[in-house]
Amino acid sequence: MTVALRYAARSDVGLVRSNNQDSAYAGPHLLMVADGMGGHAGGDVASSVAVAAFAPLDGESHGPDDALDELEAALADARDEIIARSDADPDLSGMGTTVLAILRAGNKLAMVHLGDSRGYLMRDGVLTQVTTDHTFVQHLVDIGRITPEEAEHHPQRSVVMRVLGDFDPEVTPDLSVREARPGDRWLLCSDGLSGFVSAETIEETMAAIEDVDACADRLVQLALRAGGGDNITVVLADVIELDAVADGAGPTTNATVVGAAALNRNAPTAAADGPAARAAGLTRAAQAEVATDETAAAPPAADEDDEQLPPPRRWRSVVAWVVVAVVVLGGAGIAYGWTQTQYYVGVDAQEVVIFRGLPQNFGPVPLSSVVERTGTDLEDLASGYLRARVEQTIHADSLDDARQLVAMLEEDTSPPKSSPSSTPSPSVTVTPTVAP
């Protein structure tokens, strides 16, 4: 029996993000999704580097026995390139990306996984998540602190414990090998899909729409209708038996690159009509109108004609600017009051602390202050990625939420050197497995 893949890849910037930090690749032997870390400098660079490192594997030169080794080697190459670019450009420091890749070698599928991009397998009409999220929230599920249902809506579900970046050179991926069965449908996606569309809806859509291109388009539109709060990337692939396919229904043969790694990386969203799309359109229109009004209302450049301004017009200008000043000052007071309802976890004097406010300054005035000190040193966090996240600040919805986040961070602290018997970090090394 000889199998092949029929596949499609899509990536959309979404309705909130200003640029697409996801990248993906789909070819006859390689399927891959890389989600550049949102809010990090160079997330689009990191995901593009990852795809570039894995793309040369899309060929028939490797066998089932060495597929995992090839994936690990590509991961190491991507890490080296990310570190080199970060060293060359300090603005890229702290960049990272998830990695989820499937390499087809004969009738076997080898998989490597880091982060919270997800792999799903639909077999006999049943959808199963075959990857485990490398997140704090998933760790809480694993130890029984919260339920899977609670994890789906947890405010810190995006805090990832393992990614490919310039901060954790020894991070350990999940590796596995599975059989490529005709009739199977595989979905690789960023959390722009899985974080906004339920598994039940994904399953129904994958079961109802046979064509991979139409199904991939539909999944993206579902995420956009759900708000499109993140970049959305989907790679969908059907495993087919070459001897059993009808004429004209053969496998896909052209490689596809989408997202930040593609030439059309700045393509606008493909959102069809819907509440979220209309809201985003109205917001963009309002922003454009404000910009136009501000330009029109800008005072003219000073020149000798200013002295000839008729008194009534001069008076109207003075009144207008007084009104603007009152509105601005009143709005500033309201805005400042709102900032004091916000919280985030950050660093003060190398200590992990909880701040109230926003991690910004208004001129010389800081918009935040320390409300609680934790006593946890930044360097005590075992994960370099988490250290980078805390330095860049992690938003919390409330003070209680911030305290819970700190508790999760403290679970990741390195064992004290004077206490060898201390509980190790929750990060788990997963050995290669072979699944049916």
Side-chain angles (χ1 to χ4, degrees):
M1 177 181 67
T2 303
V3 301
L5 301 175
R6 185 185 296 126
Y7 50 82
R10 301 288 188 272
S11 190
D12 193 285
V13 68
L15 300 175
V16 174
R17 305 293 189 187
S18 60
N19 70 321
N20 196 343
Q21 297 194 355
D22 289 0
S23 295
Y25 181 99
H29 297 85
L30 179 70
L31 309 172
M32 181 181 182
V33 167
D35 180 356
M37 303 317 297
H40 285 202
D44 51 348
V45 175
S47 67
S48 299
V49 166
V51 165
F54 278 78
L57 298 182
D58 190 19
E60 299 181 356
S61 59
H62 38 260
D65 294 337
D66 58 7
L68 287 178
D69 292 338
E70 302 233 12
L71 288 173
E72 285 193 285
L75 195 70
D77 290 342
R79 181 187 297 112
D80 291 343
E81 179 64 18
I82 287 174
I83 292 174
R85 294 199 179 205
S86 180
D87 289 343
D89 185 354
D91 289 340
L92 298 178
S93 178
M95 66 176 173
T97 181
T98 69
V99 172
L100 175 56
I102 291 179
L103 180 61
R104 184 178 72 83
N107 294 351
K108 299 295 182 181
L109 300 176
M111 176 184 290
V112 61
H113 174 234
L114 273 175
D116 63 348
S117 294
R118 289 184 178 179
Y120 293 92
L121 169 61
M122 174 168 278
R123 177 172 289 172
D124 300 326
V126 178
L127 187 69
T128 303
Q129 182 180 333
V130 299
T131 56
T132 300
D133 295 345
H134 297 148
T135 61
F136 256 136
V137 170
Q138 182 59 47
H139 171 63
L140 295 179
V141 173
D142 293 341
I143 64 177
R145 288 264 295 273
I146 62 175
T147 66
E149 291 73 24
E150 291 172 329
E152 292 297 324
H153 306 285
H154 196 282
Q156 300 303 337
R157 62 187 179 275
S158 62
V159 178
V160 186
M161 294 179 69
R162 280 189 272 171
V163 294
L164 182 70
D166 61 358
F167 26 74
D168 273 338
E170 302 302 326
V171 67
T172 304
D174 290 346
L175 298 165
S176 61
V177 178
R178 292 173 172 82
E179 180 184 357
R181 292 189 187 179
D184 284 353
R185 171 166 279 191
W186 285 86
L187 169 65
L188 278 60
C189 66
S190 64
D191 61 346
L193 175 68
S194 59
F196 292 83
V197 182
S198 69
E200 292 77 14
T201 300
I202 293 175
E203 181 181 56
E204 292 172 1
T205 304
M206 290 176 62
I209 303 178
E210 182 177 354
D211 181 76
V212 290
D213 288 287
C215 187
D217 288 334
R218 179 59 178 167
L219 290 172
V220 170
Q221 289 300 322
L222 287 172
L224 290 169
R225 283 181 173 271
D230 200 352
N231 306 143
I232 307 154
T233 300
V234 169
V235 172
L236 197 67
D238 290 339
V239 180
I240 62 175
E241 184 178 352
L242 287 177
D243 296 336
V245 297
D247 292 340
T252 314
T253 56
N254 296 326
T256 302
V257 180
V258 296
L263 294 177
N264 63 341
R265 64 179 66 89
N266 295 319
T269 180
D273 188 38
R278 289 195 294 271
L282 289 172
T283 299
R284 288 192 294 269
Q287 291 172 339
E289 184 175 349
V290 168
T292 301
D293 291 344
E294 289 177 346
T295 301
D303 57 33
E304 56 188 28
D305 292 336
D306 286 347
E307 295 303 319
Q308 305 303 318
L309 187 65
R313 184 177 175 187
R314 183 189 295 270
W315 174 248
R316 287 196 300 269
S317 297
V318 171
V319 171
W321 282 108
V322 169
V323 171
V324 169
V326 170
V327 171
V328 168
L329 290 175
I334 295 173
Y336 179 77
W338 173 82
T339 67
Q340 299 310 291
T341 67
Q342 305 299 301
Y343 296 87
Y344 66 92
V345 177
V347 180
D348 181 61
Q350 289 302 107
E351 180 186 359
V352 179
V353 299
I354 297 175
F355 290 86
R356 177 191 286 116
L358 299 177
Q360 299 170 2
N361 294 333
F362 186 73
V365 180
L367 296 181
S368 64
S369 59
V370 176
V371 293
E372 287 188 8
R373 309 196 77 89
T374 68
T376 299
D377 192 275
L378 180 68
E379 293 304 315
D380 287 340
L381 299 184
S383 168
Y385 169 70
L386 289 180
R387 290 195 295 271
R389 282 296 307 270
V390 173
E391 286 183 311
Q392 295 170 358
T393 74
I394 304 177
H395 172 74
D397 292 336
S398 65
L399 181 57
D400 287 341
D401 182 27
R403 288 167 176 163
Q404 185 177 22
L405 174 57
V406 168
M408 291 189 293
L409 288 169
E410 289 174 342
E411 290 184 14
D412 188 62
T413 55
S414 302
K417 294 180 180 179
S418 59
S419 178
S421 60
S422 298
T423 302
S425 164
S427 182
V428 178
T429 298
V430 181
T431 55
T433 58
V434 179

mmCIF file with all atom_site columns, all heavy atoms in Angstrom, residues 300-318:
data_model
loop_
_atom_site.group_PDB
_atom_site.id
_atom_site.type_symbol
_atom_site.label_atom_id
_atom_site.label_alt_id
_atom_site.label_comp_id
_atom_site.label_asym_id
_atom_site.label_entity_id
_atom_site.label_seq_id
_atom_site.pdbx_PDB_ins_code
_atom_site.Cartn_x
_atom_site.Cartn_y
_atom_site.Cartn_z
_atom_site.occupancy
_atom_site.B_iso_or_equiv
_atom_site.pdbx_formal_charge
_atom_site.auth_seq_id
_atom_site.auth_comp_id
_atom_site.auth_asym_id
_atom_site.auth_atom_id
_atom_site.pdbx_PDB_model_num
ATOM 1   N N   . PRO A 1 300 ? -2.646  76.074 11.932 1.00 0.00 ? 300 PRO A N   1
ATOM 2   C CA  . PRO A 1 300 ? -1.773  76.384 10.797 1.00 0.00 ? 300 PRO A CA  1
ATOM 3   C C   . PRO A 1 300 ? -0.390  76.788 11.271 1.00 0.00 ? 300 PRO A C   1
ATOM 4   O O   . PRO A 1 300 ? -0.216  77.282 12.378 1.00 0.00 ? 300 PRO A O   1
ATOM 5   C CB  . PRO A 1 300 ? -2.483  77.549 10.102 1.00 0.00 ? 300 PRO A CB  1
ATOM 6   C CG  . PRO A 1 300 ? -3.301  78.187 11.191 1.00 0.00 ? 300 PRO A CG  1
ATOM 7   C CD  . PRO A 1 300 ? -3.734  77.068 12.081 1.00 0.00 ? 300 PRO A CD  1
ATOM 8   N N   . ALA A 1 301 ? 0.580   76.554 10.421 1.00 0.00 ? 301 ALA A N   1
ATOM 9   C CA  . ALA A 1 301 ? 1.949   76.938 10.738 1.00 0.00 ? 301 ALA A CA  1
ATOM 10  C C   . ALA A 1 301 ? 2.031   78.451 10.892 1.00 0.00 ? 301 ALA A C   1
ATOM 11  O O   . ALA A 1 301 ? 1.383   79.219 10.164 1.00 0.00 ? 301 ALA A O   1
ATOM 12  C CB  . ALA A 1 301 ? 2.898   76.452 9.640  1.00 0.00 ? 301 ALA A CB  1
ATOM 13  N N   . ALA A 1 302 ? 2.824   78.858 11.867 1.00 0.00 ? 302 ALA A N   1
ATOM 14  C CA  . ALA A 1 302 ? 2.946   80.301 12.127 1.00 0.00 ? 302 ALA A CA  1
ATOM 15  C C   . ALA A 1 302 ? 3.640   80.985 10.965 1.00 0.00 ? 302 ALA A C   1
ATOM 16  O O   . ALA A 1 302 ? 4.678   80.536 10.500 1.00 0.00 ? 302 ALA A O   1
ATOM 17  C CB  . ALA A 1 302 ? 3.743   80.531 13.419 1.00 0.00 ? 302 ALA A CB  1
ATOM 18  N N   . ASP A 1 303 ? 3.042   82.067 10.469 1.00 0.00 ? 303 ASP A N   1
ATOM 19  C CA  . ASP A 1 303 ? 3.684   82.897 9.460  1.00 0.00 ? 303 ASP A CA  1
ATOM 20  C C   . ASP A 1 303 ? 3.123   84.311 9.610  1.00 0.00 ? 303 ASP A C   1
ATOM 21  O O   . ASP A 1 303 ? 2.294   84.588 10.472 1.00 0.00 ? 303 ASP A O   1
ATOM 22  C CB  . ASP A 1 303 ? 3.479   82.345 8.038  1.00 0.00 ? 303 ASP A CB  1
ATOM 23  C CG  . ASP A 1 303 ? 2.015   82.182 7.687  1.00 0.00 ? 303 ASP A CG  1
ATOM 24  O OD1 . ASP A 1 303 ? 1.207   83.002 8.168  1.00 0.00 ? 303 ASP A OD1 1
ATOM 25  O OD2 . ASP A 1 303 ? 1.688   81.239 6.942  1.00 0.00 ? 303 ASP A OD2 1
ATOM 26  N N   . GLU A 1 304 ? 3.523   85.204 8.731  1.00 0.00 ? 304 GLU A N   1
ATOM 27  C CA  . GLU A 1 304 ? 3.143   86.597 8.894  1.00 0.00 ? 304 GLU A CA  1
ATOM 28  C C   . GLU A 1 304 ? 1.665   86.807 8.673  1.00 0.00 ? 304 GLU A C   1
ATOM 29  O O   . GLU A 1 304 ? 1.093   87.801 9.106  1.00 0.00 ? 304 GLU A O   1
ATOM 30  C CB  . GLU A 1 304 ? 3.942   87.474 7.928  1.00 0.00 ? 304 GLU A CB  1
ATOM 31  C CG  . GLU A 1 304 ? 3.801   87.046 6.483  1.00 0.00 ? 304 GLU A CG  1
ATOM 32  C CD  . GLU A 1 304 ? 4.747   87.810 5.577  1.00 0.00 ? 304 GLU A CD  1
ATOM 33  O OE1 . GLU A 1 304 ? 5.817   88.236 6.071  1.00 0.00 ? 304 GLU A OE1 1
ATOM 34  O OE2 . GLU A 1 304 ? 4.410   87.991 4.398  1.00 0.00 ? 304 GLU A OE2 1
ATOM 35  N N   . ASP A 1 305 ? 0.953   85.869 8.010  1.00 0.00 ? 305 ASP A N   1
ATOM 36  C CA  . ASP A 1 305 ? -0.482  86.022 7.825  1.00 0.00 ? 305 ASP A CA  1
ATOM 37  C C   . ASP A 1 305 ? -1.249  85.847 9.121  1.00 0.00 ? 305 ASP A C   1
ATOM 38  O O   . ASP A 1 305 ? -2.410  86.240 9.224  1.00 0.00 ? 305 ASP A O   1
ATOM 39  C CB  . ASP A 1 305 ? -1.000  85.005 6.795  1.00 0.00 ? 305 ASP A CB  1
ATOM 40  C CG  . ASP A 1 305 ? -0.483  85.329 5.403  1.00 0.00 ? 305 ASP A CG  1
ATOM 41  O OD1 . ASP A 1 305 ? -0.145  86.515 5.183  1.00 0.00 ? 305 ASP A OD1 1
ATOM 42  O OD2 . ASP A 1 305 ? -0.416  84.417 4.559  1.00 0.00 ? 305 ASP A OD2 1
ATOM 43  N N   . ASP A 1 306 ? -0.630  85.202 10.154 1.00 0.00 ? 306 ASP A N   1
ATOM 44  C CA  . ASP A 1 306 ? -1.326  84.977 11.416 1.00 0.00 ? 306 ASP A CA  1
ATOM 45  C C   . ASP A 1 306 ? -1.764  86.298 12.044 1.00 0.00 ? 306 ASP A C   1
ATOM 46  O O   . ASP A 1 306 ? -2.787  86.361 12.721 1.00 0.00 ? 306 ASP A O   1
ATOM 47  C CB  . ASP A 1 306 ? -0.424  84.233 12.407 1.00 0.00 ? 306 ASP A CB  1
ATOM 48  C CG  . ASP A 1 306 ? -0.286  82.760 12.017 1.00 0.00 ? 306 ASP A CG  1
ATOM 49  O OD1 . ASP A 1 306 ? -1.074  82.321 11.160 1.00 0.00 ? 306 ASP A OD1 1
ATOM 50  O OD2 . ASP A 1 306 ? 0.601   82.094 12.580 1.00 0.00 ? 306 ASP A OD2 1
ATOM 51  N N   . GLU A 1 307 ? -0.969  87.340 11.869 1.00 0.00 ? 307 GLU A N   1
ATOM 52  C CA  . GLU A 1 307 ? -1.309  88.618 12.475 1.00 0.00 ? 307 GLU A CA  1
ATOM 53  C C   . GLU A 1 307 ? -2.526  89.238 11.825 1.00 0.00 ? 307 GLU A C   1
ATOM 54  O O   . GLU A 1 307 ? -3.122  90.162 12.353 1.00 0.00 ? 307 GLU A O   1
ATOM 55  C CB  . GLU A 1 307 ? -0.115  89.569 12.376 1.00 0.00 ? 307 GLU A CB  1
ATOM 56  C CG  . GLU A 1 307 ? 1.100   89.127 13.171 1.00 0.00 ? 307 GLU A CG  1
ATOM 57  C CD  . GLU A 1 307 ? 0.768   88.943 14.639 1.00 0.00 ? 307 GLU A CD  1
ATOM 58  O OE1 . GLU A 1 307 ? 0.021   89.786 15.215 1.00 0.00 ? 307 GLU A OE1 1
ATOM 59  O OE2 . GLU A 1 307 ? 1.241   87.957 15.229 1.00 0.00 ? 307 GLU A OE2 1
ATOM 60  N N   . GLN A 1 308 ? -2.896  88.784 10.620 1.00 0.00 ? 308 GLN A N   1
ATOM 61  C CA  . GLN A 1 308 ? -4.041  89.333 9.908  1.00 0.00 ? 308 GLN A CA  1
ATOM 62  C C   . GLN A 1 308 ? -5.321  88.570 10.209 1.00 0.00 ? 308 GLN A C   1
ATOM 63  O O   . GLN A 1 308 ? -6.355  88.836 9.618  1.00 0.00 ? 308 GLN A O   1
ATOM 64  C CB  . GLN A 1 308 ? -3.781  89.286 8.390  1.00 0.00 ? 308 GLN A CB  1
ATOM 65  C CG  . GLN A 1 308 ? -2.489  89.973 7.967  1.00 0.00 ? 308 GLN A CG  1
ATOM 66  C CD  . GLN A 1 308 ? -2.446  91.410 8.403  1.00 0.00 ? 308 GLN A CD  1
ATOM 67  O OE1 . GLN A 1 308 ? -3.449  92.123 8.305  1.00 0.00 ? 308 GLN A OE1 1
ATOM 68  N NE2 . GLN A 1 308 ? -1.286  91.863 8.900  1.00 0.00 ? 308 GLN A NE2 1
ATOM 69  N N   . LEU A 1 309 ? -5.271  87.542 11.144 1.00 0.00 ? 309 LEU A N   1
ATOM 70  C CA  . LEU A 1 309 ? -6.448  86.745 11.467 1.00 0.00 ? 309 LEU A CA  1
ATOM 71  C C   . LEU A 1 309 ? -7.521  87.646 12.052 1.00 0.00 ? 309 LEU A C   1
ATOM 72  O O   . LEU A 1 309 ? -7.268  88.364 13.027 1.00 0.00 ? 309 LEU A O   1
ATOM 73  C CB  . LEU A 1 309 ? -6.086  85.665 12.495 1.00 0.00 ? 309 LEU A CB  1
ATOM 74  C CG  . LEU A 1 309 ? -7.166  84.631 12.823 1.00 0.00 ? 309 LEU A CG  1
ATOM 75  C CD1 . LEU A 1 309 ? -7.474  83.776 11.605 1.00 0.00 ? 309 LEU A CD1 1
ATOM 76  C CD2 . LEU A 1 309 ? -6.734  83.769 14.002 1.00 0.00 ? 309 LEU A CD2 1
ATOM 77  N N   . PRO A 1 310 ? -8.710  87.677 11.499 1.00 0.00 ? 310 PRO A N   1
ATOM 78  C CA  . PRO A 1 310 ? -9.776  88.547 12.017 1.00 0.00 ? 310 PRO A CA  1
ATOM 79  C C   . PRO A 1 310 ? -10.109 88.174 13.453 1.00 0.00 ? 310 PRO A C   1
ATOM 80  O O   . PRO A 1 310 ? -10.097 87.009 13.820 1.00 0.00 ? 310 PRO A O   1
ATOM 81  C CB  . PRO A 1 310 ? -10.968 88.250 11.076 1.00 0.00 ? 310 PRO A CB  1
ATOM 82  C CG  . PRO A 1 310 ? -10.332 87.685 9.837  1.00 0.00 ? 310 PRO A CG  1
ATOM 83  C CD  . PRO A 1 310 ? -9.123  86.962 10.300 1.00 0.00 ? 310 PRO A CD  1
ATOM 84  N N   . PRO A 1 311 ? -10.422 89.133 14.320 1.00 0.00 ? 311 PRO A N   1
ATOM 85  C CA  . PRO A 1 311 ? -10.705 88.863 15.729 1.00 0.00 ? 311 PRO A CA  1
ATOM 86  C C   . PRO A 1 311 ? -11.766 87.787 15.955 1.00 0.00 ? 311 PRO A C   1
ATOM 87  O O   . PRO A 1 311 ? -11.579 86.930 16.808 1.00 0.00 ? 311 PRO A O   1
ATOM 88  C CB  . PRO A 1 311 ? -11.160 90.240 16.256 1.00 0.00 ? 311 PRO A CB  1
ATOM 89  C CG  . PRO A 1 311 ? -10.466 91.224 15.370 1.00 0.00 ? 311 PRO A CG  1
ATOM 90  C CD  . PRO A 1 311 ? -10.420 90.580 14.008 1.00 0.00 ? 311 PRO A CD  1
ATOM 91  N N   . PRO A 1 312 ? -12.939 87.783 15.243 1.00 0.00 ? 312 PRO A N   1
ATOM 92  C CA  . PRO A 1 312 ? -13.925 86.729 15.511 1.00 0.00 ? 312 PRO A CA  1
ATOM 93  C C   . PRO A 1 312 ? -13.354 85.329 15.278 1.00 0.00 ? 312 PRO A C   1
ATOM 94  O O   . PRO A 1 312 ? -13.595 84.410 16.048 1.00 0.00 ? 312 PRO A O   1
ATOM 95  C CB  . PRO A 1 312 ? -15.055 87.060 14.535 1.00 0.00 ? 312 PRO A CB  1
ATOM 96  C CG  . PRO A 1 312 ? -14.899 88.521 14.250 1.00 0.00 ? 312 PRO A CG  1
ATOM 97  C CD  . PRO A 1 312 ? -13.405 88.756 14.258 1.00 0.00 ? 312 PRO A CD  1
ATOM 98  N N   . ARG A 1 313 ? -12.611 85.164 14.218 1.00 0.00 ? 313 ARG A N   1
ATOM 99  C CA  . ARG A 1 313 ? -12.048 83.854 13.907 1.00 0.00 ? 313 ARG A CA  1
ATOM 100 C C   . ARG A 1 313 ? -11.021 83.465 14.950 1.00 0.00 ? 313 ARG A C   1
ATOM 101 O O   . ARG A 1 313 ? -10.931 82.321 15.377 1.00 0.00 ? 313 ARG A O   1
ATOM 102 C CB  . ARG A 1 313 ? -11.430 83.879 12.512 1.00 0.00 ? 313 ARG A CB  1
ATOM 103 C CG  . ARG A 1 313 ? -10.900 82.526 12.066 1.00 0.00 ? 313 ARG A CG  1
ATOM 104 C CD  . ARG A 1 313 ? -10.369 82.600 10.653 1.00 0.00 ? 313 ARG A CD  1
ATOM 105 N NE  . ARG A 1 313 ? -9.754  81.344 10.267 1.00 0.00 ? 313 ARG A NE  1
ATOM 106 C CZ  . ARG A 1 313 ? -9.096  81.175 9.123  1.00 0.00 ? 313 ARG A CZ  1
ATOM 107 N NH1 . ARG A 1 313 ? -8.982  82.180 8.268  1.00 0.00 ? 313 ARG A NH1 1
ATOM 108 N NH2 . ARG A 1 313 ? -8.546  80.008 8.836  1.00 0.00 ? 313 ARG A NH2 1
ATOM 109 N N   . ARG A 1 314 ? -10.209 84.464 15.399 1.00 0.00 ? 314 ARG A N   1
ATOM 110 C CA  . ARG A 1 314 ? -9.204  84.199 16.430 1.00 0.00 ? 314 ARG A CA  1
ATOM 111 C C   . ARG A 1 314 ? -9.916  83.729 17.707 1.00 0.00 ? 314 ARG A C   1
ATOM 112 O O   . ARG A 1 314 ? -9.492  82.826 18.394 1.00 0.00 ? 314 ARG A O   1
ATOM 113 C CB  . ARG A 1 314 ? -8.383  85.462 16.688 1.00 0.00 ? 314 ARG A CB  1
ATOM 114 C CG  . ARG A 1 314 ? -7.263  85.252 17.715 1.00 0.00 ? 314 ARG A CG  1
ATOM 115 C CD  . ARG A 1 314 ? -6.660  86.592 18.063 1.00 0.00 ? 314 ARG A CD  1
ATOM 116 N NE  . ARG A 1 314 ? -5.997  87.208 16.930 1.00 0.00 ? 314 ARG A NE  1
ATOM 117 C CZ  . ARG A 1 314 ? -4.702  87.010 16.635 1.00 0.00 ? 314 ARG A CZ  1
ATOM 118 N NH1 . ARG A 1 314 ? -3.969  86.233 17.375 1.00 0.00 ? 314 ARG A NH1 1
ATOM 119 N NH2 . ARG A 1 314 ? -4.178  87.611 15.602 1.00 0.00 ? 314 ARG A NH2 1
ATOM 120 N N   . TRP A 1 315 ? -11.055 84.389 18.060 1.00 0.00 ? 315 TRP A N   1
ATOM 121 C CA  . TRP A 1 315 ? -11.790 84.027 19.276 1.00 0.00 ? 315 TRP A CA  1
ATOM 122 C C   . TRP A 1 315 ? -12.338 82.609 19.177 1.00 0.00 ? 315 TRP A C   1
ATOM 123 O O   . TRP A 1 315 ? -12.290 81.831 20.119 1.00 0.00 ? 315 TRP A O   1
ATOM 124 C CB  . TRP A 1 315 ? -12.907 85.038 19.480 1.00 0.00 ? 315 TRP A CB  1
ATOM 125 C CG  . TRP A 1 315 ? -13.830 84.699 20.636 1.00 0.00 ? 315 TRP A CG  1
ATOM 126 C CD1 . TRP A 1 315 ? -15.126 84.325 20.564 1.00 0.00 ? 315 TRP A CD1 1
ATOM 127 C CD2 . TRP A 1 315 ? -13.484 84.699 22.014 1.00 0.00 ? 315 TRP A CD2 1
ATOM 128 N NE1 . TRP A 1 315 ? -15.634 84.096 21.812 1.00 0.00 ? 315 TRP A NE1 1
ATOM 129 C CE2 . TRP A 1 315 ? -14.633 84.320 22.729 1.00 0.00 ? 315 TRP A CE2 1
ATOM 130 C CE3 . TRP A 1 315 ? -12.309 84.998 22.710 1.00 0.00 ? 315 TRP A CE3 1
ATOM 131 C CZ2 . TRP A 1 315 ? -14.655 84.214 24.116 1.00 0.00 ? 315 TRP A CZ2 1
ATOM 132 C CZ3 . TRP A 1 315 ? -12.334 84.886 24.081 1.00 0.00 ? 315 TRP A CZ3 1
ATOM 133 C CH2 . TRP A 1 315 ? -13.485 84.503 24.781 1.00 0.00 ? 315 TRP A CH2 1
ATOM 134 N N   . ARG A 1 316 ? -12.901 82.274 18.015 1.00 0.00 ? 316 ARG A N   1
ATOM 135 C CA  . ARG A 1 316 ? -13.430 80.931 17.839 1.00 0.00 ? 316 ARG A CA  1
ATOM 136 C C   . ARG A 1 316 ? -12.330 79.890 18.003 1.00 0.00 ? 316 ARG A C   1
ATOM 137 O O   . ARG A 1 316 ? -12.532 78.817 18.570 1.00 0.00 ? 316 ARG A O   1
ATOM 138 C CB  . ARG A 1 316 ? -14.101 80.803 16.460 1.00 0.00 ? 316 ARG A CB  1
ATOM 139 C CG  . ARG A 1 316 ? -15.426 81.514 16.348 1.00 0.00 ? 316 ARG A CG  1
ATOM 140 C CD  . ARG A 1 316 ? -16.210 81.036 15.127 1.00 0.00 ? 316 ARG A CD  1
ATOM 141 N NE  . ARG A 1 316 ? -15.471 81.275 13.888 1.00 0.00 ? 316 ARG A NE  1
ATOM 142 C CZ  . ARG A 1 316 ? -15.598 82.400 13.185 1.00 0.00 ? 316 ARG A CZ  1
ATOM 143 N NH1 . ARG A 1 316 ? -16.389 83.370 13.632 1.00 0.00 ? 316 ARG A NH1 1
ATOM 144 N NH2 . ARG A 1 316 ? -14.926 82.545 12.067 1.00 0.00 ? 316 ARG A NH2 1
ATOM 145 N N   . SER A 1 317 ? -11.128 80.194 17.534 1.00 0.00 ? 317 SER A N   1
ATOM 146 C CA  . SER A 1 317 ? -10.010 79.263 17.666 1.00 0.00 ? 317 SER A CA  1
ATOM 147 C C   . SER A 1 317 ? -9.629  79.068 19.124 1.00 0.00 ? 317 SER A C   1
ATOM 148 O O   . SER A 1 317 ? -9.368  77.956 19.580 1.00 0.00 ? 317 SER A O   1
ATOM 149 C CB  . SER A 1 317 ? -8.801  79.781 16.877 1.00 0.00 ? 317 SER A CB  1
ATOM 150 O OG  . SER A 1 317 ? -9.105  79.847 15.502 1.00 0.00 ? 317 SER A OG  1
ATOM 151 N N   . VAL A 1 318 ? -9.610  80.184 19.887 1.00 0.00 ? 318 VAL A N   1
ATOM 152 C CA  . VAL A 1 318 ? -9.265  80.085 21.303 1.00 0.00 ? 318 VAL A CA  1
ATOM 153 C C   . VAL A 1 318 ? -10.287 79.220 22.039 1.00 0.00 ? 318 VAL A C   1
ATOM 154 O O   . VAL A 1 318 ? -9.945  78.343 22.832 1.00 0.00 ? 318 VAL A O   1
ATOM 155 C CB  . VAL A 1 318 ? -9.175  81.488 21.936 1.00 0.00 ? 318 VAL A CB  1
ATOM 156 C CG1 . VAL A 1 318 ? -9.036  81.372 23.467 1.00 0.00 ? 318 VAL A CG1 1
ATOM 157 C CG2 . VAL A 1 318 ? -8.006  82.249 21.350 1.00 0.00 ? 318 VAL A CG2 1
#
